[in-house]
Amino acid sequence: MKDQMEAPVEPGAEDPVCVTQRIGATALVWINDPKRRNPLSMALRPALIQAMADAQADPEVRAVVLAGAGGCFSAGGDISTMKGITAASGRARLQDVHRLVKIVQGGTKPVIAAVEGYAVGAGLSIAAMCDLVVASSEAKFSLPFGKLGLMPDLGVLQTLPARIGMGRTKLLALTGRTIDAQTAADWGIVEELCAPGEAVERALAMAEEVARMAPLSVATSKQTLGRGPMGLDEMLSAEADTQALLFCTEDVKEGVAAFLDKRRPDFKGA
């Protein structure tokens, strides 16, 4: 990773298709194919999977921001690579990129999508799998898979209903309709709107908020939520087991001491 504290700089055409920068305790991951509006190309897939895996494994990283270079988050799948796909190769193609979904959803570090321009098709799938979404007021969102004869993929038929409900997910999936950023925020796809060109900056600020929290608290909250809907008894049992372990950590001792001393806590993730 490029370790830097100054403001992030968008990668250029000479840079790899996926570029990671370090901004304090945040890993800023860029999808970098702006001339083609950052499609989920065959070259991008392994690079993005590796970047996300590296960020999740880095003990110095507290949060991840995912952005698209050139004013577009991602225009979705790379249609130029979809000719001649068989049932077997199509399954393998999806199962390979499913690793990205599992890393983002199953990791302990929150992932924040910074959306400028279009997040359509697989681009919306990627945004929806992230924990939080910051979007420009000019962003656009859609699931136009049906226009290619395909169904929405990358887990979006689970992650999107969890955000916006079944009816609205069906509306997007069955009509291919494009919605604007305000509608996406009203529905729950987007947590925070910002002025055009400010999505990365606002996402980094949100990541700093995450970084001030105790890492084990963040990790257990993310993973418990990631288990999906639970009955009341199951949830109470899960929180009792997890909270009991958290009470034994050094971070809880530090958090209590800092509160009583009226100072900012210095959490270590232990």
Side-chain angles (χ1 to χ4, degrees), residues 25-39:
T26 301
L28 171 56
V29 179
W30 293 95
I31 301 172
N32 184 42
D33 192 359
K35 290 183 178 180
R36 299 199 301 151
R37 296 196 297 182
N38 300 320

Side-chain angles (χ1 to χ4, degrees), residues 21-29 60-66 109-114 131-134 192 198-215 218 264:
Q21 300 171 326
R22 270 290 295 280
I23 311 294
T26 301
L28 171 56
V29 179
E60 301 301 318
V61 169
R62 299 285 184 89
V64 183
V65 170
L66 177 61
K109 319 289 176 65
V111 180
I112 304 169
D131 299 287
L132 299 165
V133 179
V134 176
E192 187 172 309
E198 295 183 0
V200 170
E201 179 183 347
R202 294 286 286 274
L204 288 170
M206 187 178 288
E208 288 183 7
E209 292 182 76
V210 172
R212 290 196 288 270
M213 300 295 104
V218 170
R264 176 177 290 186

Side-chain angles (χ1 to χ4, degrees), residues 98-121:
H98 282 169
R99 291 185 293 157
L100 176 65
V101 185
K102 293 176 181 178
I103 290 168
V104 173
Q105 287 274 292
T108 60
K109 319 289 176 65
V111 180
I112 304 169
V115 178
E116 298 277 356
Y118 288 94
V120 302

